[in-house]
Amino acid sequence: MAAARGLLPLAQTELLEALVHLRTDSDNNIAQAAQATLEEQQQEDLLNVAKASEAAASVLGYLAAVPGAGRELHEAVATHANTPDEAIALLANLTTDGSLLELITLNQQRLIRAPEIIEAVLLNPSRTADAERRAKETREEFFEKERGARQIAQELRARGNQAAAEFFESAELATIDGEMSTDDAWLIAQHLEVSDADIDDSWLARELIEEMMVETAEQAAANLQAVINAERLDLGEVAPERISLIRRLMFMTVKDRVKFALKGDREARGILIRDSNRIVATAVIHNPRISDKEIENIASMRTVSEEVLRLIGMNRAWARSYLIIHNLARNPRTPMATAVHILPRIQAKDLKALTENRNMSEAVRRQAYRLVQTRKG
């Protein structure tokens, strides 16, 4: 009762915390005394507490709902990190101050964490044009897109396509130049075949992820054209339908392309192996459905990342295939250390051909020549 009457020698922040707690006490006399003491507090004292870094969440929540509180007090509450999200939502619902709603919508992280704040802002007739715009943009970017992805995933799962459903449940569903359309989503869903349970991403060096995930629209456009050019170089004329699929894949975010490389079918793997982002290309050879025949073809490609060729050469299972190591040995893109390492396993007639291959580096040709001479005795 002494605390409820404000008679204890407490600091202002501690006193308010005690009063806010006691106003809901089961003893009506204590609860009424605490409420009366709270109503007697000076505006200046309340403001000082609202600005204090150690202000309790319960006190800030109470201050958000104080009737007749001034703009300065509510501004301090709205910008305090300790204020509960539900208190901000209540404040956004009750305030008649449009500029305060603008201030609330500046904290996008809070809006994402508590979408009820967005709804409170949009339902408040006092909202300004800026407050409405920020709230709508956040809702569209982080919630409507997510809801669309969930709907796609639910339908895919109902159709029995578990792998595609899992992809769309976690995909960003964004592209470099905007949001992925529903038609695009359904098209690429047809090229997903690996479930999350079958994926091992332990190979992915975490410290490299952030570095490799940043991509501008210009880089994406250049990457798209490079992939199309590489396909034309290796396969000849590229069908319009395939170019359409390449465009859709290349304009997904890097994060989604990595996931797609791990989960995609043979056609998707054939496209993403040529991605200029080495994490995306490397993800392809970690796809559990990739075949030895595909690796054999990749080992001969002159448009793939050197890192991919190096990893193929290090893989014991693939290195047992003579066709794979032979393709690596005569691929000018294969890192010199990898090529030199596998040369001793190349047959004599193929070694001799390497010595005459002007596309190969001088160091590789010289090492092949030494091996030929050694075997001649």
Side-chain angles (χ1 to χ4, degrees):
M1 181 59 77
R5 290 175 177 169
L7 300 178
L8 296 183
L10 299 173
Q12 188 68 23
T13 54
E14 295 172 340
L15 172 63
L16 282 184
E17 187 173 2
L19 292 173
V20 168
H21 175 71
L22 292 174
R23 67 195 283 265
T24 58
D25 196 272
S26 57
D27 186 314
N28 285 336
N29 291 330
I30 292 176
Q32 290 171 9
Q35 182 62 45
T37 306
L38 277 170
E39 292 171 0
E40 293 169 358
Q41 300 302 302
Q42 297 297 311
Q43 186 83 0
E44 183 179 353
D45 291 335
L46 295 178
L47 180 59
N48 289 335
V49 171
K51 290 181 175 180
S53 60
E54 70 274 16
S58 58
V59 174
L60 293 165
Y62 165 76
L63 294 177
V66 169
R71 156 70 193 226
E72 196 174 2
L73 177 60
H74 276 166
E75 180 178 327
V77 171
T79 56
H80 203 296
N82 293 348
T83 304
D85 292 336
E86 57 269 23
I88 297 294
L90 178 62
L91 181 57
N93 184 57
L94 297 178
T95 186
T96 57
D97 186 340
S99 62
L100 183 63
L101 291 172
E102 287 185 16
L103 183 66
I104 289 173
T105 57
L106 286 174
N107 190 339
Q108 189 182 61
Q109 185 176 1
R110 193 188 284 275
L111 298 185
I112 296 169
R113 188 173 64 227
E116 61 269 23
I117 299 174
I118 296 175
E119 299 308 314
V121 170
L122 294 177
L123 290 172
N124 192 319
S126 299
R127 67 188 182 277
T128 64
D130 280 346
E132 181 175 358
R133 174 181 56 79
R134 292 193 196 105
K136 284 183 175 179
E137 285 177 355
T138 303
R139 182 174 66 180
E140 179 181 349
E141 176 67 20
F142 293 94
F143 297 102
E144 291 181 354
K145 188 183 302 181
E146 179 183 338
R147 189 156 51 244
R150 282 200 302 268
Q151 290 171 350
I152 292 172
Q154 288 169 2
E155 188 162 345
L156 286 166
R157 185 166 277 109
R159 295 183 181 188
N161 193 337
Q162 178 73 10
E166 291 170 344
F167 175 81
F168 285 106
E169 283 173 338
S170 60
E172 294 179 346
L173 276 191
T175 66
I176 298 301
D177 57 352
E179 185 178 347
M180 182 186 296
S181 70
T182 304
D183 288 344
D184 287 350
W186 283 112
L187 175 67
I188 68 173
Q190 300 170 26
H191 297 277
L192 288 156
E193 64 177 13
V194 180
S195 176
D196 287 346
D198 297 324
I199 291 175
D200 176 14
D201 63 357
S202 59
W203 56 274
L204 189 53
R206 302 297 174 187
E207 66 273 11
L208 294 177
I209 295 177
E210 297 228 346
E211 171 195 344
M212 303 301 292
M213 292 293 173
V214 180
E215 187 174 63
T216 65
E218 292 75 18
Q219 289 171 326
N223 190 19
L224 165 66
Q225 193 57 52
V227 171
I228 293 174
N229 291 342
E231 290 243 330
R232 285 174 177 155
L233 181 65
D234 291 339
L235 306 175
E237 190 58 37
V238 183
E241 307 81 47
R242 186 167 175 85
I243 290 180
S244 179
L245 176 60
I246 294 172
R247 183 177 296 278
R248 286 173 168 87
L249 292 180
M250 289 299 106
F251 273 87
M252 286 197 299
T253 63
V254 177
K255 180 180 175 183
D256 282 351
R257 295 207 307 275
V258 170
K259 291 180 184 176
F260 211 96
L262 288 167
K263 297 171 70 72
D265 63 6
R266 185 187 182 101
E267 187 172 4
R269 293 193 293 268
I271 293 170
L272 293 173
I273 194 64
R274 306 171 196 275
D275 198 303
S276 62
N277 187 306
R278 62 189 177 94
I279 288 187
V280 177
T282 301
V284 171
I285 64 171
H286 287 92
N287 185 308
R289 297 285 180 87
I290 198 163
S291 66
D292 287 354
K293 182 63 178 175
E294 288 175 82
I295 294 297
E296 181 185 325
N297 291 334
I298 293 169
S300 66
M301 289 180 183
R302 301 185 183 187
T303 53
V304 297
S305 164
E306 292 185 5
E307 177 68 6
V308 167
L309 299 174
R310 186 183 70 82
L311 291 173
I312 291 174
M314 290 174 56
N315 185 291
R316 292 183 180 180
W318 294 331
R320 284 196 290 267
S321 165
Y322 184 76
L323 289 174
I324 291 175
I325 63 167
H326 184 211
N327 283 348
L328 284 176
R330 59 184 178 174
N331 189 339
R333 290 280 294 173
T334 301
M336 187 176 69
T338 301
V340 169
H341 176 71
I342 62 179
L343 282 180
R345 299 163 57 195
I346 302 301
Q347 296 172 5
K349 62 181 179 61
D350 294 326
L351 270 180
K352 187 173 185 305
L354 283 174
T355 67
E356 300 168 356
N357 188 340
R358 295 294 177 180
N359 290 322
M360 304 302 299
S361 71
E362 183 62 28
V364 172
R365 288 167 54 204
R366 191 163 48 244
Q367 181 63 16
Y369 179 79
R370 290 195 190 104
L371 289 170
V372 169
Q373 296 304 313
T374 300
R375 291 181 187 179
K376 286 181 178 179

